[in-house]
Amino acid sequence: MKNNWSKKIAKKYIKKYKKLGFSKDLALRVYTTRLLGRNKELVLHGGGNTSVKTSIKDIDGKKYNVLCVKGSGWDMAMKTKKYLSDEDMVSFQKKNLINIKSPNPSVETFLHAFLPFKFVDHTHADAVLNATNRSGGLNFCKKVFGNKVSVVPYVMPGFMLAKKINEVYSKNPNINCLILMNHGIFTFADDAKEAYNLMIKYVSKAERAVKKLKSKKIKQIKKFSTKFNVHEIAPIIRGLLSENKDQKFVINYRLNKHLKYFINGKNVRSYSSKGTATPDHVIRVKPFPLVITPKKNSSIEEFKTTAKKAFENYRKKYIHYFNVNKKKAKEKKVMLDTSPRLLEI
Ligand code: ZN
């Protein structure tokens, strides 16, 4: 993975932010966050997060130590707490916002707070997920990333994950990176450039290691045809997606050679429903896609019937998924709508 740090641009950021009244820390935090955010192989839209621990002057003229996480800031000291529900955590974070107009701080805010470094970078890099999300992934990662890295088994993002990270870091204070199984990577340093360099270094390590592995070929469906075009099915799908008149969806159609290879696999139903790559994906695409397999040479009318049935089954499956998993949660959970977000046809 290419390291895009530029001394010249970093200086420009410092100058620009100084004029606006912000510190060098914040300027460099914005700069490397943008370097990471721009790279689609590192973060999904809205995913990943970065932070800086710095100080700001409040209107009373006093300096306060703050943690800035993707635009939000708050004070810190929560390590001794045994348990905190997601709801309580969000409200605690909101109460401690420096600027009440800030967006809600990330669920990973505490994790940033507990790592004692000025700059903390976190991404859900494709190559890292490729290394973690495989059978034997934990041992594979231990070998790949080396002794300055701790590999952490999966814990759902939230306060308990932050506690786990705190525990791991306290035992191994020499590390400069954390690999979170089925989730992503954290790198940290007291210098913005160093934290960014570490991110690129470890993601590159993952890229090289995964490249060396032999990947299984996906058996393809051959000679498949239908009697309708994509634009004809769009209104049908939109209609089926909406459970009521207030629920309106926009469909984005995509196809490229990689997607074609994935969707035309004989076992697409099985491997595409194994679960998402990260918890971040669940928020955006739900835990599994809706797979619609039109009958051979089917007309648009026949497709309509097939799709209707597939939607009914999906909604039932989603309700079942929710009911099974809500029992595992400590707090009361509210089910989202049952419409799919990702369709494979
Ligand atoms: Zn994350």
Side-chain angles (χ1 to χ4, degrees), residues 48-49 108 122-124 157 180 183-184 186 279-280:
N49 38 62
E108 280 154 349
H122 170 48
T123 72
H124 308 140
L180 273 53
H183 182 156
F186 277 84
D280 195 29

Side-chain angles (χ1 to χ4, degrees), residues 107-122:
V107 293
E108 280 154 349
T109 297
F110 278 103
L111 215 160
H112 285 263
F114 291 177
L115 287 166
F117 293 87
K118 205 172 185 59
F119 293 89
V120 178
D121 292 12
H122 170 48

Side-chain angles (χ1 to χ4, degrees), residues 144-158:
V144 168
F145 293 104
N147 57 4
K148 296 279 271 178
V149 179
S150 280
V151 183
V152 187
Y154 182 77
V155 177
M156 205 169 117

Side-chain angles (χ1 to χ4, degrees), residues 32-87:
T32 56
T33 299
R34 288 189 180 157
L35 284 181
L36 297 170
R38 220 175 281 151
N39 190 336
K40 285 203 178 79
E41 285 173 27
L42 287 175
V43 289
L44 296 171
H45 172 80
N49 38 62
T50 57
S51 67
V52 59
K53 297 176 186 78
T54 183
S55 59
I56 59 157
K57 240 187 223 170
D58 211 346
I59 41 171
D60 58 5
K62 276 189 207 157
K63 267 195 171 186
Y64 291 91
N65 288 330
V66 294
L67 168 71
C68 301
V69 185
K70 269 216 281 194
S72 323
W74 60 281
D75 240 324
M76 33 184 163
M78 286 292 281
K79 277 190 211 172
T80 49
K81 205 138 176 68
K82 280 211 169 63
Y83 176 77
L84 202 62
S85 73
D86 284 355
E87 288 77 10

Side-chain angles (χ1 to χ4, degrees), residues 13 23 28 39 62 69 167-168 174 183 187 226 315 324:
Y13 265 82
S23 64
L28 291 177
N39 190 336
K62 276 189 207 157
V69 185
E167 182 195 310
V168 171
N174 294 325
H183 182 156
T187 56
T226 51
R315 294 189 195 283
V324 167

Side-chain angles (χ1 to χ4, degrees), residues 65-204:
N65 288 330
V66 294
L67 168 71
C68 301
V69 185
K70 269 216 281 194
S72 323
W74 60 281
D75 240 324
M76 33 184 163
M78 286 292 281
K79 277 190 211 172
T80 49
K81 205 138 176 68
K82 280 211 169 63
Y83 176 77
L84 202 62
S85 73
D86 284 355
E87 288 77 10
D88 289 346
M89 181 177 78
V90 170
S91 83
F92 174 83
Q93 288 172 175
K94 269 190 178 171
K95 255 192 287 181
N96 285 278
L97 286 176
I98 305 294
N99 179 352
I100 55 160
K101 286 181 195 152
S102 308
N104 275 359
S106 154
V107 293
E108 280 154 349
T109 297
F110 278 103
L111 215 160
H112 285 263
F114 291 177
L115 287 166
F117 293 87
K118 205 172 185 59
F119 293 89
V120 178
D121 292 12
H122 170 48
T123 72
H124 308 140
D126 290 351
V128 171
L129 292 170
N130 204 335
T132 63
N133 297 14
R134 53 178 65 244
S135 51
L138 196 95
N139 284 332
F140 178 67
C141 288
K142 280 182 182 167
K143 264 186 235 155
V144 168
F145 293 104
N147 57 4
K148 296 279 271 178
V149 179
S150 280
V151 183
V152 187
Y154 182 77
V155 177
M156 205 169 117
F159 190 67
M160 297 320 276
L161 175 61
K163 290 277 292 181
K164 175 82 191 160
I165 295 301
N166 182 42
E167 182 195 310
V168 171
Y169 179 77
S170 310
K171 278 186 200 155
N172 316 283
N174 294 325
I175 55 170
N176 54 22
C177 169
L178 284 156
I179 298 290
L180 273 53
M181 294 302 290
N182 302 81
H183 182 156
I185 169 171
F186 277 84
T187 56
F188 29 87
D190 286 326
D191 176 79
K193 187 184 173 198
E194 175 68 11
Y196 174 74
N197 283 350
L198 287 168
M199 178 63 71
I200 302 300
K201 176 182 138 180
Y202 287 119
V203 172
S204 301

